[in-house]
Amino acid sequence: MRSRVLAADLPALATLGLRSRTLRAALSTLGIAIGIAAIAGVLGIARSSQADLLARIDRLGTDLLTVANGTRVGGDEAKLPPTAPAGVSRTGGVDKVTATAAVRDVQVFRTDRIPSYRGGGIEVRTTEPTLLDTLDGHLETGVFLNGSTVRYPVAVLGHAAASALGITSADPGTRIWVGGHWFAVAGILRPFELAPEIDRAVLIGEPVAAEYFGYDGHPTRLYVRTDPARTAQVATALGRAANPAEPGSVTVSRPSDALASRLLVADSTTALLLGLGAVALLVGGVGIANVMVISVLERRTEIGLRRALGAARGHIAVQFLGESLLLSALGGVAGTVLAAAVTYAVATYRGWQPLLPADGVWAGLGAALVIGAAAGLYPAVRAARLNPTDALRTS
């Protein structure tokens, strides 16, 4: 009767070397575990980050456009005409428009005791009471400008501007020194992710800006909410609508595109890290191959004895190939567990929903098994080719 290896015998044969050399087996699986953890962890963190970014884009909306003054052909700064908001509002597909303007050469301080050379770089911008509605913004504290307060020295602080000034609440007695005039602080805004220039600004009304600082009525930035289905079409028409005389000097942009571009950067970074993970996985495979070759040399007596007792060459090859596959599988499982732990920790710390893509896990485990098979092929063939008489004689 021909001898054969039963499927029930494979686990005992494949784990023989692992059970006799536990530390070596653990170290040889470490490279595979690191490679799998790198691949699955990178995919998990990237997927969690991308899901959070897409959720933020959906929450903030892609229907917000900004219209800003650009430059003329000669390089001079262009100005939006005072009629720009009205022209944009009459464009088909436009729902809301709010004009703002940067008031130049006006410094902002917490008190009038601070020297002018210690300006903190806080910008003063005029705005309309409709800004919050257009940007879908919210107040941290206090109230926003209205039809009455825009005519008086009343200001609303952007989130970053309030932090720079050290103001945390809009109490009735809270004032700031703006361009040589006291302004009452009516409110503090929450951060605007799609309009960071508002975060860094002190917002005042157009009438008081004209009275105190000579504002000439030319806006520098318009915020436009559009019909979501027509945003791209509206964007192409806003230049001529805002400045019919010089449409080429108008800059039209969609703030959400800046967030979307992060996805492209994240994809390229993910590809680089996956490449590094693949290198680590390959190094782990080389380590397993080295351990298996050494194991064949050390176990020549075992191989010769088994061959003398009737084991065929295929039985020896299956034993060592199974051992290599088992080492890779153990490394793959350990790496997957490590990747899940790292992904959960990073996602929880950053406030993301932890996501570990199943396709990435299975791809990593499959790659580990392929590398394990490749690493164990040569040692298995070498062990199978050993002559039992020579193996016993040289042992």
Side-chain angles (χ1 to χ4, degrees):
M1 180 182 296
R2 291 184 58 187
S3 62
R4 58 192 179 92
V5 177
L6 300 177
D9 298 331
L10 285 177
L13 293 175
T15 58
L16 183 61
L18 278 62
R19 287 183 279 115
S20 60
R21 297 170 179 84
T22 307
L23 180 59
R24 178 189 294 180
L27 293 177
S28 61
T29 60
L30 184 60
I32 295 293
I34 292 175
I36 294 297
I39 293 175
V42 166
L43 289 175
I45 293 173
R47 189 68 59 85
S48 301
S49 173
Q50 290 173 359
D52 178 75
L53 186 56
L54 289 173
R56 285 161 56 194
I57 292 176
D58 291 339
R59 183 173 63 252
L60 296 171
T62 58
D63 58 342
L64 176 67
L65 298 174
T66 61
V67 178
N69 58 319
T71 56
R72 296 187 176 93
V73 177
D76 298 332
E77 183 180 8
K79 284 187 176 182
L80 292 175
T83 58
V88 170
S89 65
R90 289 193 294 266
T91 304
V94 172
D95 293 336
K96 304 171 185 175
V97 180
T98 297
T100 67
V103 182
R104 304 186 185 278
D105 303 322
V106 177
Q107 293 183 309
V108 181
F109 300 100
R110 182 67 177 85
T111 70
D112 58 348
R113 303 297 182 181
I114 301 176
S116 60
Y117 63 83
R118 297 187 62 182
I122 301 174
E123 185 180 36
V124 177
R125 300 187 72 90
T126 68
T127 189
E128 300 170 334
T130 58
L131 180 68
L132 278 188
D133 186 37
T134 302
L135 290 180
D136 193 22
H138 302 278
L139 285 159
E140 189 77 36
T141 182
V143 296
F144 197 67
L145 300 173
N146 55 45
S148 299
T149 56
V150 292
R151 303 179 180 276
Y152 299 98
V154 176
V156 173
L157 307 183
H159 189 270
S163 298
L165 293 171
I167 298 175
T168 58
S169 62
D171 299 326
T174 304
R175 300 187 302 171
I176 56 175
W177 187 249
V178 182
H181 303 274
W182 286 108
F183 274 68
V185 177
I188 299 174
L189 297 171
R190 292 182 181 177
F192 284 93
E193 192 163 10
L194 295 183
E197 63 277 357
I198 299 297
D199 287 342
R200 302 186 297 266
V202 171
L203 304 177
I204 62 176
E206 292 181 359
V208 72
E211 179 182 352
Y212 284 8
F213 309 121
Y215 171 57
D216 58 4
H218 289 271
T220 58
R221 187 178 296 268
L222 308 180
Y223 297 101
V224 183
R225 283 287 181 185
T226 68
D227 180 354
R230 303 175 61 184
T231 300
Q233 176 185 354
V234 170
T236 61
L238 289 185
R240 186 167 298 279
N243 192 349
E246 296 178 301
S249 66
V250 178
T251 301
V252 179
S253 61
R254 183 160 58 176
S256 60
D257 289 344
L259 291 178
S261 64
R262 296 184 192 177
L263 294 175
L264 300 178
V265 176
D267 288 341
S268 61
T269 304
T270 299
L272 175 61
L273 295 176
L274 286 177
L276 295 177
V279 171
L281 191 60
L282 182 60
V283 171
V286 173
I288 289 181
N290 183 54
V291 167
M292 293 304 300
V293 170
I294 295 175
S295 180
V296 170
L297 296 176
E298 291 179 345
R299 297 162 64 183
R300 294 170 69 93
T301 302
E302 174 194 335
I303 296 170
L305 183 58
R306 290 198 62 217
R307 289 296 310 280
L309 292 176
R313 294 181 185 273
H315 303 161
I316 302 299
V318 168
Q319 174 184 348
F320 282 89
L321 186 60
E323 185 173 327
S324 176
L325 287 171
L326 185 58
L327 284 172
S328 299
L330 290 175
V333 172
T336 301
V337 173
L338 180 59
V342 171
T343 300
Y344 181 82
V346 172
T348 302
Y349 176 76
R350 298 298 298 270
W352 305 334
Q353 180 183 359
L355 295 174
L356 190 64
D359 52 351
V361 173
W362 288 115
L365 292 176
L369 293 177
V370 170
I371 288 181
L377 186 59
Y378 171 73
V381 172
R382 182 168 181 174
R385 287 181 177 178
L386 283 177
N387 187 288
T389 304
D390 294 338
L392 291 172
R393 183 184 302 119
T394 55
S395 300

